[in-house]
Amino acid sequence: MSKSEDQVNTKTVRAFSPKTQKRREKALQEKRTRIMDAALSLFAKNGVNGTTVEQVSELANVSKSNLLYYFKSKEGLYLSVITHLLDVWLTPLQSFSAEQDPIETLSDYIKVKLEMSRDNPAESKLFCMEVVQGAPLLIKELETPLKTLLDAKSAVIIEWIEAGKLKPVDPIHLIFSIWAITQHYADFSVQIKAVTGKDLSDPAFFESTLSDIQHIILGGLKPA
Amino acid sequence: MSKSEDQVNTKTVRAFSPKTQKRREKALQEKRTRIMDAALSLFAKNGVNGTTVEQVSELANVSKSNLLYYFKSKEGLYLSVITHLLDVWLTPLQSFSAEQDPIETLSDYIKVKLEMSRDNPAESKLFCMEVVQGAPLLIKELETPLKTLLDAKSAVIIEWIEAGKLKPVDPIHLIFSIWAITQHYADFSVQIKAVTGKDLSDPAFFESTLSDIQHIILGGLKPA
DNA sequence: TTTAAATTAGACCCTTTGGTTCAATTTGGA
DNA sequence: TCCAAATTGAACCAAAGGGTCTAATTTAAA
């Protein structure tokens, strides 16, 4: 809508000792986080349009008034949630790095991503819904920061291939495949549970799923 | 809500010659389809809650009144759409059958699924959103018909493995992986387009994507 | 032409919901 | 104790949207 600062009510606390001010802001930040967490889980479950501000406030244990005191509007709240989400979401790929053994690196990456699906299913689902619906709020982030990151990581994979450490694959499709499969276990957990009776919170199921995925994706990539 | 027939207004045409009646019903059915198509694309793009009955009626080129004459309620419309959707969606797996070469069969299946992602992206997206949100309307269908189907197909894969035609994998995870990746190209098309600049409607991109996916998934499954 | 079904426009109603306003109360540090 | 910030509850407003109803019009088969 208007300027992006408008989405959040950043109350500046004045006339306090630095120590106190710090403590205060921390408390405020915690409450903001609490609200955003509540919003995240409801948005993921019912969609943004299917969630009322009141529901969020109840789940966060604050009054509706108070919520609107922290966030200017529902849209502002959603934007805060989704922006923060993307940060968290892309972090693991960052650490996906240079000159280790490719199979091992990719194995680890799959593991980290699957752990994220297990530990942050709501994040995964909300991200999924946003992108499925055209990512109106994230499109800019996808076109530049994400693309840049992907290009960098692609280059690493290409190096591996050229060094004969990995069979030839298009790096982009490889990364998409890893994302698709690992996120699938969060996003489609209902379907998976309906069919297998289990989900990633079951440790044994997590382990077998992880090793199967690693096997499927990496099995054909080991150099001859 | 109440009985399931209530979701749809099935006008029974009386006192017409059989021929005429047939023609009529066909026309009605076509219109119903037109409305459902419109609903599908809007629901997929904006979510059910983000779509108004009026928008659907406009896209389908009928009046709101007329739409409500065909479908008792928005929920009834959605239920019709989603039910029909599941039928279409699972069809390819049916034909996934017995004693051909596993690699070839799986290759074909991947191709069919990727074609569906290319040709019916809205179906894929709506299915995705419904499942992500807990599949309240589909859960029964997932727990029984889908599970039954999956069990049957798993058995086929197990046979392949036991016959030494395929390396050992958990069939369920294999199938999930295929679904995850192929559907990803429809559901996350915005992200893919943001990164690669292309989508499946580009023939060259389709072909290279297909062969990469086949390579990634099946590369490690060929028996030694 | 007759008749029933199909279709439309539009008024209308009711509920939901995002957001505002405000007065009152609580909280915690100075 | 004093004060500003934090928090709440409640009334309230306006817009949106699902759904009903009705009167009028069109369509097409008999």
Side-chain angles (χ1 to χ4, degrees):
Chain A
M1 310 259 99
S2 41
K3 307 165 215 148
S4 65
E5 311 110 50
D6 288 348
Q7 288 130 12
V8 174
N9 272 338
T10 311
K11 290 294 167 190
T12 331
V13 186
R14 285 153 304 182
F16 278 115
S17 77
K19 211 181 198 174
T20 303
Q21 178 156 344
K22 217 173 191 176
R23 202 182 313 153
R24 268 225 184 180
E25 283 188 353
K26 192 183 154 200
L28 292 220
Q29 189 50 49
E30 271 167 10
K31 197 158 190 181
R32 286 181 53 81
T33 303
R34 209 169 78 220
I35 295 172
M36 286 170 66
D37 284 347
L40 171 67
S41 74
L42 287 170
F43 288 166
K45 194 174 303 172
N46 308 316
V48 181
N49 289 318
T51 302
T52 71
V53 177
E54 210 171 1
Q55 287 169 354
V56 177
S57 74
E58 278 168 13
L59 186 58
N61 269 311
V62 293
S63 64
K64 183 184 165 188
S65 307
N66 197 219
L67 189 156
L68 271 314
Y69 175 81
Y70 277 83
F71 298 90
K72 255 211 165 128
S73 67
K74 188 187 180 184
E75 200 182 318
L77 171 58
Y78 178 55
L79 190 55
S80 295
V81 170
I82 201 92
T83 305
H84 175 256
L85 165 61
L86 190 66
D87 275 354
V88 177
W89 208 236
L90 291 183
T91 305
L93 188 59
Q94 317 269 3
S95 72
F96 174 98
S97 94
E99 302 311 341
Q100 306 136 291
D101 176 61
I103 299 298
E104 194 181 324
T105 304
L106 291 170
S107 276
D108 286 349
Y109 183 59
I110 291 172
K111 183 180 180 192
V112 171
K113 284 290 293 178
L114 198 65
E115 285 169 346
M116 288 188 68
S117 283
R118 178 193 61 194
D119 301 332
N120 310 296
E123 271 87 351
S124 186
K125 285 176 180 173
L126 189 57
F127 180 75
C128 176
M129 293 189 52
E130 170 70 11
V131 174
V132 165
Q133 296 189 19
L137 298 178
L138 291 183
I139 187 72
K140 289 279 171 239
E141 305 295 316
L142 301 180
E143 279 168 347
T144 311
L146 176 63
K147 181 172 172 17
T148 306
L149 189 56
L150 265 187
D151 286 344
K153 301 312 171 184
S154 292
V156 174
I157 295 176
I158 298 265
E159 278 184 57
W160 282 332
I161 293 171
E162 286 175 348
K165 295 180 185 171
L166 202 67
K167 282 199 180 167
V169 227
D170 184 324
I172 294 289
H173 291 305
L174 175 58
I175 294 173
F176 283 160
S177 294
I178 293 174
W179 288 353
I181 298 183
T182 54
Q183 291 175 16
H184 187 83
Y185 281 83
D187 303 339
F188 286 70
S189 61
V190 168
Q191 179 175 351
I192 289 163
K193 184 138 197 174
V195 169
T196 68
K198 293 167 194 162
D199 59 36
L200 294 183
S201 66
D202 175 334
F205 184 73
F206 178 88
E207 285 306 325
S208 64
T209 300
L210 174 58
S211 84
D212 273 331
I213 294 176
Q214 288 169 335
H215 181 244
I216 289 171
I217 294 191
L218 303 176
L221 297 182
K222 290 171 192 162
Chain B
M1 309 259 100
S2 41
K3 305 163 217 152
S4 66
E5 311 109 49
D6 288 350
Q7 290 128 12
V8 173
N9 273 336
T10 310
K11 288 296 168 191
T12 332
V13 187
R14 284 155 304 185
F16 278 116
S17 77
K19 212 181 196 172
T20 302
Q21 179 157 343
K22 217 172 190 176
R23 203 183 311 153
R24 269 223 182 182
E25 284 188 353
K26 192 182 154 198
L28 291 220
Q29 189 50 49
E30 271 167 10
K31 197 160 190 178
R32 286 180 53 82
T33 303
R34 209 169 77 219
I35 295 172
M36 286 169 67
D37 283 348
L40 171 67
S41 74
L42 288 170
F43 288 165
K45 194 174 304 173
N46 308 316
V48 180
N49 289 318
T51 303
T52 71
V53 176
E54 209 170 2
Q55 287 169 353
V56 177
S57 74
E58 278 168 14
L59 187 58
N61 269 311
V62 294
S63 63
K64 183 184 166 189
S65 307
N66 197 219
L67 189 156
L68 271 316
Y69 176 80
Y70 276 83
F71 298 89
K72 255 212 165 120
S73 67
K74 189 187 180 184
E75 199 182 318
L77 171 59
Y78 179 54
L79 190 54
S80 295
V81 170
I82 201 92
T83 304
H84 175 255
L85 164 60
L86 190 66
D87 274 355
V88 177
W89 208 237
L90 291 183
T91 305
L93 189 59
Q94 317 269 4
S95 71
F96 175 98
S97 96
E99 302 309 342
Q100 304 136 292
D101 176 60
I103 299 299
E104 194 181 323
T105 304
L106 291 169
S107 277
D108 286 349
Y109 183 58
I110 292 172
K111 184 180 180 192
V112 171
K113 285 290 293 178
L114 198 65
E115 285 169 345
M116 288 187 69
S117 283
R118 178 193 60 195
D119 300 332
N120 310 296
E123 270 87 352
S124 186
K125 285 176 180 172
L126 189 56
F127 180 75
C128 177
M129 293 189 52
E130 170 70 12
V131 175
V132 165
Q133 296 189 19
L137 299 177
L138 290 183
I139 186 72
K140 289 279 171 240
E141 305 295 316
L142 301 180
E143 279 168 348
T144 311
L146 176 64
K147 181 172 173 15
T148 306
L149 189 57
L150 265 187
D151 287 343
K153 300 313 171 185
S154 291
V156 173
I157 296 177
I158 299 265
E159 279 185 55
W160 281 333
I161 293 171
E162 286 175 348
K165 295 180 184 171
L166 202 66
K167 282 198 180 169
V169 225
D170 184 325
I172 295 288
H173 291 305
L174 176 57
I175 293 173
F176 283 159
S177 294
I178 294 173
W179 288 355
I181 298 183
T182 53
Q183 291 174 16
H184 186 83
Y185 281 83
D187 302 340
F188 286 70
S189 61
V190 168
Q191 179 176 347
I192 289 163
K193 184 139 197 173
V195 169
T196 67
K198 293 168 194 163
D199 59 37
L200 294 183
S201 66
D202 175 333
F205 185 73
F206 177 89
E207 285 306 326
S208 65
T209 300
L210 174 58
S211 85
D212 274 330
I213 295 176
Q214 289 168 336
H215 181 245
I216 289 171
I217 293 191
L218 302 176
L221 297 182
K222 290 173 192 161

